[in-house]
């Protein structure tokens, strides 16, 4: 299997008033092509920093981050980034929001239209293509943000608590929709969450991080088949893995509540 994202002894420290603060300490981790990994850990363990390094938004202080075998030097169209705050342009319709990213990619008009159309369809928003964000529910806004990232056709999706602000039911629906899309296009997904259930339900591997300093604690294989179903979610195998992830996250000394 090809490695898509590679963290090699990647560290990040910040200068603070009384010295340096290590946000991430020597993370080494390979994420494979078409893999779906989730990242969990107590608040402040460096989850967002790790993802931002892959996105090219934060530069490692030492070590290296490679995507597709190349050192990351900044953001690029090969990586779509989705945050909890939908970051939609309020004055643009769903279609125009999705087309926006494509325009930056300097594609022709017809191609922009077609790709946007496809991405909007993929997330089930075709009936709302000409709607402004203010008229959409939280779940629909997030689907629009996902469509915008998808439209650019990135190899990698980097998702930082994308469903964190949504109610439980919407969240479960979006998890299934995301897995459904992923099973068809098999992009590499790195997905940060605070929710242990969500982490196990989505992933092939769960990356557990620890604090003080922020670091990789362990990687837990989720030995459950895809497609994931309600039956799997309610199975004893699922509970066992969830228990293991839960203990790894919450039985850390000094673990701050994960909110
Ligand atoms: P998480 O996503 O796991 O909550 P973050 O990656 O957001 O963790 O942050 C890791 C640590 O780095 C936190 O303690 C945070 O306060 C610190 N941090 C993040 N950005 C900066 C910055 N620009 N300057 C100083 N500290 C920072």
């Amino acid at each position: 299997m090809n490695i898509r994202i590679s963290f090699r002894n990647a560290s990040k420290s910040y200068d603070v008033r009384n010295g340096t603060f290590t946000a991430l300490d020597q993370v080494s981790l390979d994420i494979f092509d078409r893999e779906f990994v989730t990242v969990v850990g107590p608040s402040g363990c460096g989850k967002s920093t790790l993802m931002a390094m892959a996105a090219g938004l934060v530069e490692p202080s030492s070590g290296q981050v490679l995507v597709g075998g190349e050192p990351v030097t900044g953001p690029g169209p090969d990586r779509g980034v989705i945050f909890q705050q939908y970051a939609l342009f309020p004055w643009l319709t769903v279609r125009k929001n999705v087309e926006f990213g494509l325009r930056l990619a300097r594609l022709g008009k017809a191609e922009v239209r077609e790709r946007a159309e496809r991405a909007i369809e993929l997330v089930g928003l075709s009936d709302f293509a000409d709607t402004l964000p203010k008229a959409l529910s939280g779940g629909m806004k997030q689907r629009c943000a996902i469509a915008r990232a998808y439209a650019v056709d990135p190899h990698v999706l980097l998702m930082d608590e994308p469903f964190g602000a949504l109610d439980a039911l919407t969240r479960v629906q979006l998890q299934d929709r995301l897995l459904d899309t992923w099973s068809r296009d098999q992009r590499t997904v790195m997905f940060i969450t605070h929710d242990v259930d969500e982490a196990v339900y989505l992933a092939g591997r769960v990356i557990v991080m620890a604090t003080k300093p922020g670091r990789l604690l362990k990687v837990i294989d989720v030995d459950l088949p895809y497609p994931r179903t309600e039956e799997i979610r309610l199975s004893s195998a699922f509970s066992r893995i969830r228990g293991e992830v839960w203990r790894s996250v919450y039985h850390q000394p000094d673990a701050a509540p994960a909110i």
Side-chain angles (χ1 to χ4, degrees), residues 17-87:
R17 245 184 321 159
N18 38 7
T20 28
F21 172 79
T22 306
L24 262 189
D25 193 28
Q26 301 197 46
V27 174
S28 290
L29 171 72
D30 288 334
I31 298 173
F32 298 97
D33 238 354
R34 303 164 198 277
E35 206 183 2
F36 200 128
V37 300
T38 49
V39 184
V40 292
S43 252
C45 67
K47 301 182 292 296
S48 295
T49 305
L50 189 70
M51 206 192 84
M53 290 197 309
L57 300 169
V58 165
E59 214 183 318
S61 312
S62 64
Q64 259 194 322
V65 182
L66 310 179
V67 174
E70 301 287 328
V72 171
T73 53
D78 58 328
R79 284 151 290 147
V81 187
I82 298 164
F83 297 102
Q84 182 174 330
Q85 301 78 5
Y86 322 111

Coordinates of all heavy atoms in Angstrom, one line a residue, residues 17-87:
R17 N 5.9 33.3 26.6 CA 6.6 34.3 27.4 C 7.8 33.8 28.2 O 8.9 34.3 28.2 CB 5.6 34.9 28.4 CG 5.4 36.4 28.1 CD 4.5 37.1 29.1 NE 3.4 36.2 29.5 CZ 2.7 36.3 30.6 NH1 3.1 37.3 31.4 NH2 1.7 35.5 30.9
N18 N 7.6 32.6 28.8 CA 8.7 32.0 29.6 C 9.4 30.9 28.9 O 9.7 29.9 29.6 CB 8.2 31.7 31.0 CG 6.8 31.1 31.0 OD1 6.3 30.8 29.9 ND2 6.3 30.9 32.1
G19 N 9.6 30.9 27.6 CA 10.4 29.8 27.0 C 9.7 29.3 25.7 O 9.0 30.1 25.0
T20 N 9.8 28.0 25.5 CA 9.1 27.4 24.4 C 8.0 26.4 24.9 O 8.2 25.8 25.9 CB 10.0 26.6 23.5 OG1 11.1 26.2 24.2 CG2 10.5 27.4 22.3
F21 N 7.0 26.3 24.1 CA 5.9 25.4 24.5 C 5.8 24.3 23.4 O 5.7 24.7 22.2 CB 4.6 26.1 24.6 CG 3.4 25.2 24.8 CD1 3.1 24.6 26.0 CD2 2.6 24.9 23.7 CE1 2.0 23.8 26.1 CE2 1.5 24.1 23.8 CZ 1.2 23.5 25.0
T22 N 5.9 23.1 23.8 CA 5.9 22.0 22.8 C 4.4 21.6 22.5 O 3.9 20.9 23.4 CB 6.8 20.8 23.2 OG1 8.1 21.3 23.5 CG2 6.8 19.8 22.1
A23 N 3.9 21.9 21.4 CA 2.5 21.6 21.1 C 2.5 20.1 20.6 O 1.5 19.4 20.8 CB 1.9 22.5 20.1
L24 N 3.5 19.7 19.9 CA 3.6 18.4 19.3 C 5.0 17.9 19.4 O 5.9 18.6 19.0 CB 3.2 18.4 17.8 CG 1.8 18.0 17.4 CD1 1.8 17.9 15.9 CD2 1.3 16.7 18.1
D25 N 5.2 16.7 19.9 CA 6.5 16.2 20.2 C 6.8 15.0 19.3 O 6.2 13.9 19.5 CB 6.6 15.8 21.7 CG 8.1 15.6 22.0 OD1 9.0 16.2 21.4 OD2 8.3 14.8 23.0
Q26 N 7.6 15.1 18.3 CA 8.1 14.0 17.5 C 7.1 13.0 17.1 O 7.2 11.8 17.5 CB 9.3 13.3 18.2 CG 10.4 14.3 18.5 CD 11.6 13.6 18.9 OE1 12.1 12.6 18.2 NE2 12.3 14.0 19.9
V27 N 6.2 13.4 16.3 CA 5.2 12.5 15.8 C 5.7 11.8 14.6 O 6.0 12.4 13.6 CB 3.8 13.2 15.5 CG1 2.8 12.2 14.9 CG2 3.2 13.8 16.8
S28 N 5.7 10.4 14.6 CA 6.0 9.7 13.4 C 4.8 8.8 13.1 O 4.3 8.0 14.0 CB 7.2 8.8 13.6 OG 8.3 9.6 13.6
L29 N 4.2 8.9 11.9 CA 3.0 8.2 11.6 C 2.9 8.2 10.1 O 3.1 9.2 9.4 CB 1.8 9.0 12.2 CG 0.4 8.5 11.8 CD1 0.1 7.2 12.4 CD2 -0.6 9.6 12.2
D30 N 2.5 7.0 9.5 CA 2.2 6.9 8.1 C 0.7 6.7 7.9 O 0.2 5.8 8.6 CB 3.0 5.8 7.4 CG 4.5 6.1 7.3 OD1 4.8 7.3 7.2 OD2 5.3 5.1 7.3
I31 N 0.1 7.4 7.0 CA -1.3 7.2 6.7 C -1.3 6.7 5.2 O -0.7 7.4 4.3 CB -2.1 8.5 6.9 CG1 -2.1 8.9 8.4 CG2 -3.6 8.2 6.4 CD1 -2.7 10.2 8.7
F32 N -2.0 5.6 4.9 CA -1.9 5.0 3.6 C -3.0 5.5 2.7 O -4.0 6.1 3.1 CB -2.0 3.5 3.7 CG -0.9 2.9 4.5 CD1 -1.0 2.7 5.9 CD2 0.4 2.7 4.0 CE1 0.0 2.2 6.7 CE2 1.4 2.2 4.7 CZ 1.2 1.9 6.1
D33 N -2.7 5.4 1.4 CA -3.6 5.7 0.4 C -5.0 5.1 0.6 O -5.0 3.9 0.9 CB -3.1 5.2 -1.0 CG -2.9 6.3 -2.0 OD1 -3.3 7.4 -1.7 OD2 -2.4 5.9 -3.1
R34 N -6.0 5.8 0.5 CA -7.4 5.3 0.6 C -7.8 4.9 2.1 O -8.8 4.3 2.3 CB -7.7 4.1 -0.3 CG -7.4 4.4 -1.7 CD -7.3 3.1 -2.5 NE -6.6 3.4 -3.8 CZ -7.2 3.9 -4.9 NH1 -8.5 4.1 -4.8 NH2 -6.5 4.1 -5.9
E35 N -6.9 5.3 3.0 CA -7.2 4.9 4.4 C -8.1 6.0 5.0 O -8.1 7.1 4.6 CB -5.9 4.9 5.2 CG -6.0 3.9 6.4 CD -4.8 3.9 7.2 OE1 -3.8 4.6 7.0 OE2 -4.8 3.2 8.2
F36 N -9.0 5.5 5.9 CA -9.8 6.5 6.7 C -9.3 6.4 8.2 O -9.5 5.4 8.8 CB -11.3 6.0 6.7 CG -12.2 7.2 7.0 CD1 -13.3 7.5 6.2 CD2 -12.1 7.9 8.2 CE1 -14.2 8.5 6.5 CE2 -12.9 8.9 8.5 CZ -14.0 9.2 7.7
V37 N -8.5 7.4 8.6 CA -8.1 7.4 10.0 C -8.8 8.5 10.8 O -9.1 9.6 10.2 CB -6.5 7.6 10.2 CG1 -5.8 6.5 9.5 CG2 -6.1 8.9 9.7
T38 N -9.0 8.2 12.0 CA -9.6 9.3 12.9 C -8.5 9.6 14.0 O -7.7 8.7 14.3 CB -10.9 8.8 13.6 OG1 -10.8 7.5 14.1 CG2 -12.0 8.8 12.5
V39 N -8.6 10.8 14.5 CA -7.6 11.2 15.5 C -8.4 11.7 16.7 O -9.2 12.5 16.6 CB -6.7 12.4 14.9 CG1 -5.7 12.8 15.9 CG2 -6.1 12.0 13.6
V40 N -8.1 11.1 17.9 CA -8.7 11.5 19.1 C -7.7 11.8 20.2 O -6.5 11.3 20.1 CB -9.7 10.4 19.7 CG1 -10.9 10.2 18.8 CG2 -9.0 9.0 19.9
G41 N -8.1 12.5 21.2 CA -7.2 12.8 22.3 C -7.7 13.9 23.1 O -8.6 14.7 22.6
P42 N -7.3 14.1 24.3 CA -7.8 15.2 25.1 C -7.5 16.6 24.5 O -6.6 16.7 23.7 CB -7.0 15.1 26.4 CG -6.2 13.8 26.3 CD -6.2 13.3 24.9
S43 N -8.3 17.5 24.9 CA -8.1 18.9 24.4 C -6.7 19.3 24.6 O -6.0 19.1 25.6 CB -9.0 19.8 25.3 OG -10.0 20.3 24.5
G44 N -6.1 20.0 23.5 CA -4.8 20.5 23.6 C -3.7 19.5 23.4 O -2.5 19.8 23.5
C45 N -4.0 18.3 22.9 CA -3.0 17.3 22.6 C -2.3 17.5 21.3 O -1.4 16.7 20.9 CB -3.5 15.9 22.8 SG -4.7 15.5 21.5
G46 N -2.8 18.5 20.5 CA -2.2 18.8 19.2 C -2.8 18.2 18.0 O -2.2 18.2 16.9
K47 N -4.1 17.8 18.1 CA -4.8 17.2 17.0 C -4.9 18.2 15.8 O -4.5 17.8 14.7 CB -6.2 16.8 17.4 CG -6.3 15.7 18.5 CD -7.7 15.4 18.8 CE -8.6 16.4 19.4 NZ -8.2 16.9 20.8
S48 N -5.3 19.4 16.1 CA -5.5 20.4 15.1 C -4.1 20.7 14.5 O -4.0 21.0 13.3 CB -6.2 21.6 15.6 OG -7.5 21.3 16.0
T49 N -3.1 20.8 15.3 CA -1.8 21.2 14.9 C -1.3 20.1 13.9 O -0.7 20.4 12.8 CB -0.8 21.3 16.1 OG1 -1.4 22.2 17.0 CG2 0.6 21.8 15.6
L50 N -1.5 18.8 14.2 CA -1.1 17.7 13.4 C -1.7 17.9 12.0 O -1.1 17.8 11.0 CB -1.5 16.4 14.0 CG -0.9 15.2 13.4 CD1 0.6 15.1 13.6 CD2 -1.6 13.9 14.0
M51 N -3.0 18.1 12.0 CA -3.7 18.2 10.7 C -3.3 19.4 10.0 O -3.2 19.4 8.7 CB -5.2 18.2 11.0 CG -6.0 17.7 9.8 SD -7.7 18.0 10.0 CE -7.7 19.7 9.3
A52 N -3.1 20.5 10.7 CA -2.7 21.8 10.0 C -1.4 21.6 9.3 O -1.1 22.3 8.3 CB -2.7 22.9 11.0
M53 N -0.5 20.8 9.9 CA 0.8 20.5 9.3 C 0.6 19.8 8.0 O 1.3 20.1 7.0 CB 1.7 19.7 10.2 CG 2.2 20.6 11.4 SD 3.6 20.0 12.3 CE 3.3 18.3 12.6
A54 N -0.3 18.8 7.9 CA -0.6 18.1 6.7 C -1.2 19.0 5.7 O -1.0 18.9 4.5 CB -1.5 16.9 7.0
A55 N -2.1 20.0 6.2 CA -2.7 20.9 5.3 C -1.8 22.0 4.7 O -2.1 22.7 3.8 CB -3.9 21.6 6.0
G56 N -0.6 22.1 5.4 CA 0.3 23.1 5.0 C 0.0 24.5 5.6 O 0.5 25.5 5.1
L57 N -0.8 24.5 6.6 CA -1.1 25.7 7.3 C -0.2 26.0 8.5 O -0.1 27.1 8.9 CB -2.6 25.7 7.8 CG -3.6 25.4 6.7 CD1 -5.0 25.1 7.3 CD2 -3.7 26.6 5.8
V58 N 0.4 25.0 9.0 CA 1.4 25.1 10.1 C 2.7 24.4 9.7 O 2.6 23.3 9.2 CB 0.8 24.5 11.4 CG1 1.9 24.3 12.4 CG2 -0.3 25.4 11.9
E59 N 3.8 25.0 9.9 CA 5.1 24.4 9.5 C 5.7 23.7 10.7 O 5.7 24.3 11.8 CB 6.0 25.5 9.1 CG 6.9 25.2 7.9 CD 7.9 26.3 7.6 OE1 7.4 27.5 7.6 OE2 9.1 26.1 7.5
P60 N 6.2 22.5 10.5 CA 6.8 21.8 11.7 C 8.1 22.6 12.1 O 8.8 23.2 11.3 CB 7.2 20.4 11.2 CG 6.9 20.4 9.7 CD 6.2 21.6 9.3
S61 N 8.3 22.6 13.4 CA 9.6 23.2 13.9 C 10.7 22.4 13.6 O 11.8 22.8 13.4 CB 9.5 23.5 15.4 OG 8.3 24.1 15.7
S62 N 10.5 21.0 13.7 CA 11.5 20.1 13.3 C 10.8 18.9 12.7 O 9.6 18.6 13.0 CB 12.5 19.8 14.4 OG 11.7 19.1 15.4
G63 N 11.6 18.0 12.0 CA 11.0 16.9 11.4 C 10.4 17.2 10.1 O 10.5 18.4 9.6
Q64 N 9.6 16.3 9.5 CA 9.1 16.5 8.2 C 7.7 16.0 8.0 O 7.3 15.1 8.7 CB 9.9 15.7 7.2 CG 11.0 16.4 6.4 CD 11.5 15.5 5.3 OE1 11.6 14.3 5.4 NE2 11.7 16.2 4.1
V65 N 6.9 16.6 7.1 CA 5.6 16.1 6.8 C 5.6 16.0 5.3 O 5.8 16.9 4.5 CB 4.5 17.0 7.3 CG1 3.1 16.4 6.9 CG2 4.5 17.3 8.8
L66 N 5.3 14.8 4.8 CA 5.2 14.5 3.4 C 3.8 14.2 3.0 O 3.1 13.4 3.7 CB 6.1 13.4 2.9 CG 7.6 13.4 3.4 CD1 8.3 12.1 2.9 CD2 8.3 14.6 2.9
V67 N 3.3 14.7 1.9 CA 2.0 14.2 1.3 C 2.3 13.8 -0.1 O 2.9 14.5 -0.9 CB 1.0 15.3 1.3 CG1 -0.3 14.9 0.6 CG2 0.6 15.7 2.8
G68 N 1.9 12.5 -0.5 CA 2.2 12.0 -1.8 C 3.7 12.0 -2.1 O 4.2 12.2 -3.2
G69 N 4.5 11.8 -1.0 CA 6.0 11.6 -1.2 C 6.7 13.0 -1.2 O 7.9 13.0 -1.3
E70 N 6.0 14.1 -1.3 CA 6.6 15.4 -1.4 C 6.5 16.2 -0.1 O 5.4 16.1 0.5 CB 5.9 16.3 -2.4 CG 5.9 15.6 -3.8 CD 7.3 15.7 -4.5 OE1 8.0 16.7 -4.2 OE2 7.6 14.8 -5.2
P71 N 7.5 16.8 0.4 CA 7.4 17.7 1.6 C 6.3 18.7 1.4 O 6.2 19.3 0.3 CB 8.8 18.3 1.7 CG 9.7 17.5 0.8 CD 8.9 16.9 -0.2
V72 N 5.5 18.9 2.4 CA 4.5 19.9 2.4 C 5.1 21.3 2.5 O 5.8 21.6 3.4 CB 3.5 19.7 3.5 CG1 2.5 20.8 3.6 CG2 2.8 18.3 3.3
T73 N 4.8 22.2 1.5 CA 5.3 23.5 1.6 C 4.2 24.6 1.8 O 4.5 25.7 2.0 CB 6.1 23.9 0.4 OG1 5.3 23.6 -0.8 CG2 7.4 23.0 0.3
G74 N 3.0 24.1 1.7 CA 1.8 25.1 1.9 C 0.6 24.3 1.5 O 0.6 23.1 1.1
P75 N -0.6 25.0 1.5 CA -1.8 24.4 1.1 C -1.8 24.0 -0.4 O -1.0 24.7 -1.1 CB -2.9 25.4 1.4 CG -2.2 26.5 2.2 CD -0.8 26.4 2.0
G76 N -2.6 23.1 -0.8 CA -2.6 22.7 -2.2 C -3.9 22.0 -2.6 O -4.6 21.5 -1.7
P77 N -4.2 22.0 -3.9 CA -5.5 21.4 -4.3 C -5.5 19.9 -4.2 O -6.6 19.3 -4.3 CB -5.5 21.8 -5.8 CG -4.1 22.1 -6.2 CD -3.4 22.5 -5.0
D78 N -4.4 19.3 -3.8 CA -4.4 17.8 -3.5 C -5.0 17.5 -2.1 O -5.2 16.4 -1.8 CB -3.0 17.2 -3.6 CG -2.0 17.9 -2.7 OD1 -2.2 19.1 -2.4 OD2 -1.1 17.2 -2.2
R79 N -5.2 18.6 -1.3 CA -5.7 18.4 0.0 C -6.9 19.3 0.3 O -6.8 20.5 0.2 CB -4.7 18.7 1.1 CG -3.6 17.6 1.2 CD -2.3 18.2 1.6 NE -1.7 19.0 0.6 CZ -0.9 20.1 0.8 NH1 -0.7 20.5 2.0 NH2 -0.5 20.7 -0.3
G80 N -8.1 18.7 0.6 CA -9.3 19.5 0.9 C -9.4 19.6 2.4 O -9.2 18.6 3.1
V81 N -9.6 20.8 2.9 CA -9.7 20.9 4.4 C -11.1 21.4 4.8 O -11.7 22.2 4.2 CB -8.7 22.0 4.9 CG1 -8.6 22.1 6.4 CG2 -7.3 21.7 4.3
I82 N -11.6 20.7 5.8 CA -13.0 21.0 6.3 C -12.9 21.2 7.8 O -12.4 20.4 8.6 CB -13.9 19.9 6.0 CG1 -14.0 19.7 4.4 CG2 -15.3 20.1 6.5 CD1 -14.6 18.4 4.0
F83 N -13.4 22.4 8.3 CA -13.4 22.7 9.7 C -14.8 22.6 10.3 O -15.8 22.5 9.6 CB -12.9 24.1 9.9 CG -11.4 24.3 9.4 CD1 -11.2 24.9 8.2 CD2 -10.4 23.8 10.2 CE1 -9.8 25.0 7.8 CE2 -9.1 24.0 9.8 CZ -8.8 24.6 8.6
Q84 N -14.8 22.7 11.6 CA -16.1 22.7 12.3 C -17.0 23.9 11.9 O -18.2 23.8 11.7 CB -15.9 22.6 13.8 CG -17.2 22.6 14.6 CD -16.9 22.4 16.1 OE1 -15.9 21.8 16.5 NE2 -17.8 22.9 16.9
Q85 N -16.3 25.0 11.8 CA -17.1 26.2 11.4 C -17.1 26.1 9.9 O -16.1 26.1 9.2 CB -16.3 27.5 11.8 CG -16.1 27.7 13.2 CD -15.0 26.9 13.8 OE1 -14.3 26.2 13.0 NE2 -14.7 26.9 15.1
Y86 N -18.3 26.1 9.3 CA -18.4 25.7 7.9 C -17.7 26.6 7.0 O -17.3 26.2 5.9 CB -19.9 25.7 7.5 CG -20.8 25.2 8.7 CD1 -21.7 26.0 9.3 CD2 -20.7 23.9 9.0 CE1 -22.5 25.6 10.4 CE2 -21.5 23.4 10.1 CZ -22.4 24.2 10.7 OH -23.1 23.8 11.8
A87 N -17.4 27.9 7.4 CA -16.7 28.8 6.6 C -17.3 28.9 5.2 O -16.6 28.9 4.2 CB -15.2 28.4 6.5

